[in-house]
Amino acid sequence: MEIKNIAIIGLGYVGLPLAVEFAKHRPVIGFDISAKRIKELNQGHDPTLEVSDEDLQAVLVKHPFNENKGLYVTDSLMNIVDCQIYIIAVPTPTDKNNRPDLTPLVKASETVGKVLKDGDIVIYESTVYPGATEDDCVPVLESISGKKMNEHFYVGYSPERINPGDKVHTLTTIKKVTSGSTPEIGQEVDALYKEIITAGTHLAPSIKVAEAAKVIENSQRDINIAFVNELSKIFNRMGIDTLEVLEAAGTKWNFLPFRPGLVGGHCIGVDPYYLAQKAQEVGYHPEIILAGRRLNDGMGAYVAGEVVKLLLKAGKPVKGAKALMLGITFKENCPDIRNTRAIDISNELQTYGMQVDIYDPWANTEEVKHEYGIEILTQYPEKDGYQAIILAVAHNEFREINMQIHKQNGVIIYDVKGILPKEMVDSRL
């Protein structure tokens, strides 16, 4: 049986690991519109750290299709013309009003539509609401190519399950949901992913089912975290330590081990809005989903308010006070700053007239400047001078900081992630 060439459209947190794994078995073209990204990858380095330099360099090839496997990365449309399978893995963000923004998905579909041939298969991995693939993407493919789905080309959907920064639950070890526009194509898409997914696959009966399965995964987590965030607010007023309550409750076998915190990133903090948007389009107002989103989106401002209260109780002036926030990425031990909610703490503290410095050894300073318009510290400030320290992200490096010195100097310490000893902090979420 002929081995089909694969083109991966979008080489970010999802697309690159996928391209590297397939390149161990087949010829793969990795396509991205960012010339900077292509240059970085051709130099054998992935700044997102999702793929190690060793693994990337092991599959990189200098010319496409010269061998029966390997990864060739490019920003040239001409290099993907000879592929038969196109996997689209681009971001699906929301706009400033939290409405789904399908622009990257539409643009990627236009790109593939320009090279689409009879018999080709287009597989989408981007998280969307049920119906987006067939109702929003396929019409673009058909319009640009002049071809018809299930007559000339076929479509599949296999939602990504990448967990940025997680070196245990990686691409190949997480079961993959697959689907196709016909039963036969579903089987082919499923067989394709079985080549690289050691955890196995689950062939969904339709594309819409696969889309819905993905979007509720993160919506479920969002709602559960919102619940414990609300518990944290309640127990704080009662003078009860939330983490101690969760530890006690966790002794029951079926208690779910969620912890309070900031909910950002490209998935959990975004995907529920996609489901909510579709629900409203079909005439249903989703109450629990949006309530969870409102609560979680407000946690940064809540933390800032708690820090201000602690300063006032300690008799320290708020206006003009200096605070050090540790961490700006959306999660620990990961350089991803997309949709981080840590920035909300800083922004809210500044509305009180406070000066906020941010230090994060994982974040790229240029990316932070571009995304949020702020300069962050490039090294940990050894000298004190701060009235408050907020541990916003649980990077391993922050566990090594001697907080005892700051505590002795009267610095207010707030631990969002609950990783410091209780006696070392003034409060924690």
Side-chain angles (χ1 to χ4, degrees):
M1 182 173 147
E2 178 189 3
I3 295 180
K4 295 182 177 180
N5 300 327
I6 297 176
I8 309 290
I9 312 301
L11 296 175
Y13 284 84
V14 174
L16 183 63
L18 197 64
V20 168
E21 285 303 323
F22 273 123
K24 296 175 183 178
H25 306 273
R26 296 173 179 239
V28 177
I29 306 295
F31 177 87
D32 200 286
I33 60 173
S34 170
K36 178 185 176 185
R37 177 69 168 156
I38 296 302
K39 182 179 179 181
E40 291 170 343
L41 296 179
N42 270 322
Q43 291 172 344
H45 176 63
D46 170 29
T48 72
L49 306 181
E50 285 303 301
V51 174
S52 70
D53 291 356
E54 181 182 4
D55 287 346
L56 176 59
Q57 292 166 18
V59 297
L60 279 177
V61 295
K62 295 184 178 179
H63 303 285
F65 312 130
N66 273 18
E67 303 174 33
N68 60 359
K69 60 183 179 179
L71 172 63
Y72 179 80
V73 295
T74 180
D75 59 356
S76 172
L77 186 64
M78 294 306 297
N79 285 320
I80 65 172
V81 171
D82 293 326
C83 293
Q84 295 82 42
I85 297 174
Y86 296 91
I87 301 178
I88 295 178
V90 296
T92 42
T94 53
D95 63 18
K96 63 180 180 180
N97 297 312
N98 293 322
R99 291 176 301 200
D101 180 7
L102 295 181
T103 303
L105 205 55
V106 169
K107 294 291 186 184
S109 297
E110 290 175 349
T111 296
V112 173
K114 294 174 183 176
V115 298
L116 206 53
K117 305 171 296 300
D118 286 0
D120 286 353
I121 301 175
V122 184
I123 304 170
Y124 290 87
E125 287 230 356
S126 306
T127 302
V128 290
Y129 46 73
T133 299
E134 291 156 301
D135 300 339
D136 296 287
C137 299
V138 168
V140 176
L141 293 172
E142 292 181 334
S143 173
I144 298 296
S145 69
K147 300 178 184 297
K148 291 293 181 182
M149 181 181 74
N150 293 342
E151 289 184 25
H152 306 102
F153 70 91
Y154 303 91
V155 173
Y157 182 78
S158 181
E160 59 89 4
R161 281 177 165 171
I162 295 292
N163 187 25
D166 191 336
K167 302 307 178 186
V168 176
H169 304 98
T170 55
L171 170 65
T172 61
T173 63
I174 303 172
K175 197 163 190 173
K176 201 87 160 67
V177 174
T178 61
S179 63
S181 55
T182 69
E184 294 75 22
I185 292 302
Q187 292 287 348
E188 184 169 348
V189 170
D190 193 65
L192 175 70
Y193 281 100
K194 279 181 176 174
E195 290 183 5
I196 64 170
I197 307 297
T198 57
T201 60
H202 174 86
L203 177 56
S206 70
I207 287 175
K208 285 186 175 66
V209 167
E211 290 169 327
K214 170 56 183 177
V215 80
I216 71 166
E217 290 175 16
N218 289 324
S219 297
Q220 183 185 68
R221 286 187 58 79
D222 192 43
I223 291 166
N224 278 310
I225 296 171
F227 173 60
V228 293
N229 275 337
E230 188 161 65
L231 291 179
S232 177
K233 290 182 175 183
I234 294 169
F235 293 145
N236 179 56
R237 293 195 175 196
M238 294 178 168
I240 302 173
D241 188 280
T242 305
L243 297 185
E244 291 178 346
V245 174
L246 294 175
E247 183 180 2
T251 58
K252 189 179 181 187
W253 81 92
N254 61 351
F255 185 82
L256 302 178
F258 287 93
R259 291 166 66 98
L262 305 174
V263 183
H266 188 64
C267 293
I268 300 178
V270 172
D271 296 352
Y273 287 121
Y274 274 75
L275 184 55
Q277 170 76 17
K278 194 62 180 179
Q280 290 168 336
E281 286 180 9
V282 297
Y284 181 81
H285 179 73
E287 298 182 38
I288 294 176
I289 294 170
L290 291 179
R293 279 284 73 235
R294 284 193 298 272
L295 198 145
N296 284 340
D297 276 349
M299 290 308 292
Y302 172 77
V303 168
E306 292 299 294
V307 172
V308 168
K309 288 178 187 177
L310 290 169
L311 287 169
L312 292 173
K313 287 179 182 178
K316 297 176 182 288
V318 174
K319 187 175 182 180
K322 290 182 63 178
L324 172 64
M325 189 171 83
L326 298 175
I328 189 66
T329 62
F330 94 89
K331 67 183 293 188
E332 65 275 5
N333 307 321
C334 171
D336 195 348
I337 62 168
R338 295 175 300 171
N339 192 39
T340 176
R341 298 273 55 92
I343 192 69
D344 296 344
I345 301 174
S346 173
N347 290 342
E348 186 71 10
L349 288 176
Q350 290 178 63
T351 67
Y352 289 94
M354 293 180 62
Q355 176 187 328
V356 183
D357 290 341
I358 301 173
Y359 170 66
D360 192 316
W362 283 81
N364 182 292
T365 56
E366 291 182 8
E367 286 184 12
V368 174
K369 175 70 174 177
H370 178 266
E371 189 73 20
Y372 300 106
I374 59 174
E375 302 274 359
I376 65 172
L377 304 176
T378 56
Q379 59 183 15
Y380 182 75
E382 293 297 337
K383 293 186 177 180
D384 208 312
Y386 295 103
Q387 283 72 53
I389 293 177
I390 303 99
L391 196 154
V393 186
H395 294 318
N396 289 340
E397 289 85 345
F398 296 156
R399 299 172 187 267
E400 306 302 318
I401 295 175
N402 186 356
M403 288 293 177
Q404 184 65 42
I405 297 176
H406 299 295
K407 186 76 172 173
Q408 291 172 349
N409 291 337
V411 179
I412 298 297
I413 300 175
Y414 192 99
D415 184 4
V416 174
K417 299 297 292 184
I419 66 168
L420 299 175
K422 182 182 177 182
E423 63 275 8
M424 193 61 63
V425 302
D426 292 273
S427 188
R428 60 187 185 181
L429 196 58

